[in-house]
Amino acid sequence: MRTPLSVVIGAGGTGGHIYPGLALADALRRAVPDAVVSFVGTERGLETRLIPQAGYRLHTVDMIPFDPSLGAKRYLLPAALLRSGNQCRSILRTQGAQVAVGMGGYPSAPVIVGARMAGLPSLIHESNAVPGRANKFAARLTPHVALAFDRSREHLAGGEHAETVGMPLVGPLATLDRTALRARARRELGIPEGVRLLLVNGGSLGAARLTAAAVGLAARYRTRTDLRLLIKTGPAALEETRERLAATGGAAVAEAVPYLDRMDLAYSAADLVVCRAGSATVAELATIGMPAVLVPYPHAPGDHQTHNARVLSDAGAAALLPDAETTAERLDTLVTPLLDDPVRLAAMGQAADPGTHAQAADLLAAKVLKLAGHPDSHPATTYLRETA
């Protein structure tokens, strides 16, 4: 009788690690419908909400961040890692796991430690152009490393043997055709024909710097009839942003929203996006050919968002704007000429290398299935191997 496939994925802290983990889990379920896939995280991150919402079991362990800013508490890291590694070893055994996967972020490192303790094969996936501390450590414990961006190879132990599979994407963005969806998207968002739309996306929690600059830009555009702004503020800043738009006259051309549940519609309706440079965002933009102005979050570990942004800016697919320079005035000088030049926008969209991000979840699943010793006779395994 065939042993059911069981995989434990370590992913937590931020959506940049959790969403790729969920994309991998979905790919494994597509390949092996009776697969048992569960996650390991902590009680502090977004995983406590996002993973159960997606229908997967979440195990939590005691772990502290790989963060020098902890001060004296950083000396507790070895003991915390050993304790959480032991917890993960128990979870792996209880789940009957054949393989463990770390998607990056400090909650994933204990999974790789636990797999090493249990004698199980493990795999890590690095999502950023510059690896985080957790994956730099975990890469020393497993020979199996997958990358979203080839640039991170030189920063990881054994990186010369790593395979670049791309960034696993969730939902419809992996297969989005902006051109085909554009007319419907603009109707649903109420964007008239001939009007250019600038999307300002501050992420799930918003970005104060981007929102403030967008409000100022809207005030400058308030008498224009050919431009609109859609500003994603996050819930906390919504009311204040709407009040500022009303006070400055920017409400005539701009709409502030707390969330964008349908990013496929937002991307398809927009002509240009201003956003941070998280790895998932950069992969999405490259995959769908979305022209962008990238404002890297300046406090990201290792300044990895700037390195992520350069994947697109070096190719001419995006402009890179430092956070400290992101004012309404600076945004005006950068964004307005782009919005007024459809030919240049089209060239930026075509300059992005889509790579293998759209197939990354299946490619990564193929590697996991191989490590798990899944029978080659399984049709889904054969399919994944052929598409890898």
Side-chain angles (χ1 to χ4, degrees):
M1 184 177 180
R2 182 171 64 89
T3 302
L5 174 67
S6 178
V7 178
V8 173
I9 301 172
T14 67
H17 300 301
I18 298 166
Y19 286 118
L22 290 172
L24 169 60
D26 290 346
L28 289 168
R29 284 267 182 90
R30 288 195 301 270
V32 186
D34 64 350
V36 178
V37 183
S38 59
F39 284 77
V40 167
T42 72
E43 293 284 357
R44 295 187 295 275
L46 291 174
E47 62 266 31
T48 58
R49 176 172 58 88
L50 297 180
I51 290 172
Q53 279 182 354
Y56 293 98
R57 181 176 179 180
L58 174 66
H59 307 272
T60 58
V61 297
D62 303 318
M63 187 56 195
I64 61 176
F66 284 63
D67 191 344
S69 67
L70 289 173
K73 285 186 177 180
R74 70 183 184 274
Y75 297 113
L76 300 176
L77 180 59
L81 187 56
L82 181 60
R83 181 176 62 252
S84 57
N86 271 309
Q87 292 172 332
C88 285
R89 176 172 59 179
S90 297
I91 292 168
L92 291 166
R93 287 177 173 172
T94 300
Q95 292 296 116
Q98 288 110 36
V99 62
V101 182
M103 299 301 297
Y106 72 92
S108 77
V111 175
I112 305 303
V113 173
R116 183 71 173 260
M117 291 176 170
L120 290 176
S122 62
L123 165 75
I124 65 169
H125 178 270
E126 175 51 53
S127 59
N128 289 297
V130 174
R133 298 181 188 94
N135 264 357
K136 282 185 177 180
F137 166 78
R140 299 181 181 277
L141 302 180
T142 175
H144 307 294
V145 178
L147 310 174
F149 302 106
D150 197 63
R151 296 181 180 213
S152 61
R153 183 183 307 278
E154 63 187 273
H155 303 285
L156 290 169
E160 65 274 14
H161 304 299
E163 181 181 350
T164 303
V165 300
M167 182 70 166
L169 301 178
V170 295
L173 294 179
T175 57
L176 176 62
D177 183 338
R178 289 180 59 233
T179 301
L181 191 58
R182 183 172 174 83
R184 174 192 161 193
R186 290 173 71 84
R187 283 196 306 272
E188 294 200 17
L189 293 178
I191 308 301
E193 187 68 28
V195 172
R196 296 277 171 186
L197 175 64
L198 175 67
L199 170 63
V200 181
N201 181 9
S204 58
L205 299 179
R209 177 84 69 175
L210 270 62
T211 297
V215 169
L217 186 63
R220 289 168 172 250
Y221 286 171
R222 64 185 180 275
T223 60
R224 293 190 64 160
T225 59
D226 61 332
L227 296 176
R228 292 279 183 88
L229 284 83
L230 179 60
I231 308 170
K232 179 182 174 184
T233 65
L238 178 64
E239 291 307 316
E240 179 185 356
T241 302
R242 286 176 172 172
E243 291 171 2
R244 290 163 60 196
L245 286 171
T248 61
V253 295
E255 179 183 4
V257 296
Y259 302 107
L260 286 169
D261 294 328
R262 290 291 304 274
M263 283 304 302
D264 57 331
L265 293 179
Y267 279 143
S268 297
D271 296 280
L272 180 68
V273 61
V274 176
C275 57
R276 293 299 194 190
S279 55
T281 297
V282 168
E284 290 169 2
L285 298 175
T287 299
I288 65 177
M290 182 81 236
V293 174
L294 297 174
V295 184
Y297 178 60
H299 306 298
D303 196 23
H304 68 250
Q305 286 208 5
T306 296
H307 293 276
N308 292 345
R310 285 176 178 151
V311 172
L312 294 181
S313 65
D314 288 353
L320 198 162
L321 178 63
D323 182 84
E325 298 178 18
T326 305
T327 63
E329 294 78 11
R330 182 71 180 92
L331 206 57
D332 191 359
T333 62
L334 186 59
V335 164
T336 305
L338 290 175
L339 289 172
D340 289 340
D341 190 347
V343 173
R344 186 176 173 192
L345 286 177
M348 289 175 68
Q350 293 169 2
D353 178 5
T356 56
H357 302 303
Q359 298 82 37
D362 285 339
L363 293 172
L364 193 57
K367 294 177 70 67
V368 172
L369 290 171
K370 182 178 179 180
L371 285 176
H374 207 66
D376 286 342
S377 60
H378 193 290
T381 306
T382 303
Y383 167 75
L384 289 172
R385 186 178 64 244
E386 290 174 350
T387 57

